[in-house]
Amino acid sequence: MYNVIMDCDPGHDDAIALLLASRADNIRILGVTTVAGNSTLENVTRNARRVLDYAGVTDVDVYAGANKPLMRELYRLTGAIIHGEDGLGGPEIPEAVTPVRPEHAVEFIIRTLRECPEKVVLVPTGPLTNIAMVLTQAPDVKEKIERIVIMGGAIYDPGNVTSAAEFNIYQDPEAARIVFQSGCDIYLNTLDISMKAVFYEEDKERIRAKGGRIPTFVAELLDFFGATHVEHFGFFACPIHDALCVGVLIDENLVTWEHTYVDVSVAEELTRGETVADLWNVTGHAPNCHIARTVNRERFVEMITEHMGRSYVSKGRP
Ligand code: RIB
Ligand code: CA
């Protein structure tokens, strides 16, 4: 059983990642924290809470975190284009009934890492602002972090904000650099695999055909998310980037990895947020990151399809 904290910016693929984690047999969600990214902190927090309530996950608390990157203003363009103005365009689901907790996300993560009797996996699927703040404010908690499974970056393939940079890293490159240089065991799910493990129309319709609240909700999320990918990128398939971070916990063979040294460009404009890997060991730096190299798309599609048909079963406390 993995004890997991999901740090997210829902966001369509974040929402599906939350649903997958809640339905996984081997994942206990200790809490969900939110970070401004795909939309404002207010929107992504509202979305996280209402998705969890809609899915019956009312015993998992949500904590709001950073409302902007560490040193920059919040970049709003791509998120609104891809996820809609409120961050979760498309299906209509009710407002949450469960209140968002008053504790700040960073304080929650630090407290939970210190108090949990077992190690914890951090799964950030938005900008790394909260995680960087945790590691900076409380370096002692690193020993309680089993691994950090990040959705972010692009090594071999182009970015999705600029050709150099993927959105989460572009949004807060300074935070990403802090996390990559933390010494924690980092697994980086990049666009190199998330833009290959995509869902085609027939995959989406298989999910919709299962019927019921969650499969219908996921299909409608993919209707919207897929349409914006066609409109903005001319890309006729739907990547569920963030859910891959959960998928690799459910099936350790879903993705293959390469251990290398990765740094982040914090320069302005042209290379802002570029994740650069020392693939030929010219820097002399020891590897600090496992970058995803291959993914089993069919297995991922089957995993999502099967799990979305499940009901939520609480995993209690560690
Ligand atoms: O580049 C894709 C990532 O940026 C995903 O996490 C998506 O939700 C957005 O946050
Ligand atoms: Ca996200």
Side-chain angles (χ1 to χ4, degrees), residues 8-15 37-38 78-79 82-83 124-127 151-153 160-161 165-169 191 194 225 229 240-242:
C8 56
D9 63 337
H12 293 67
D13 51 334
D14 302 78
N38 281 321
T78 305
I82 299 299
H83 297 276
T125 61
M151 193 289 134
N160 57 3
V161 177
E166 176 278 328
F167 179 82
N168 287 334
I169 310 300
L191 294 178
S194 66
F225 198 40
H229 275 78
I240 310 182
H241 310 279
D242 297 334

Side-chain angles (χ1 to χ4, degrees), residues 152-155 164-166 169 176 180 188 190 262-265 271 273-277:
I155 303 294
E166 176 278 328
I169 310 300
F180 286 6
L188 190 63
T190 64
V262 177
D263 198 355
V264 184
S265 169
T271 62
E274 182 171 14
T275 44
V276 183

Side-chain angles (χ1 to χ4, degrees), residues 247-258:
V248 299
L249 297 176
I250 295 171
D251 180 349
E252 64 182 12
N253 299 312
L254 183 67
V255 166
T256 61
W257 307 94
E258 177 181 4

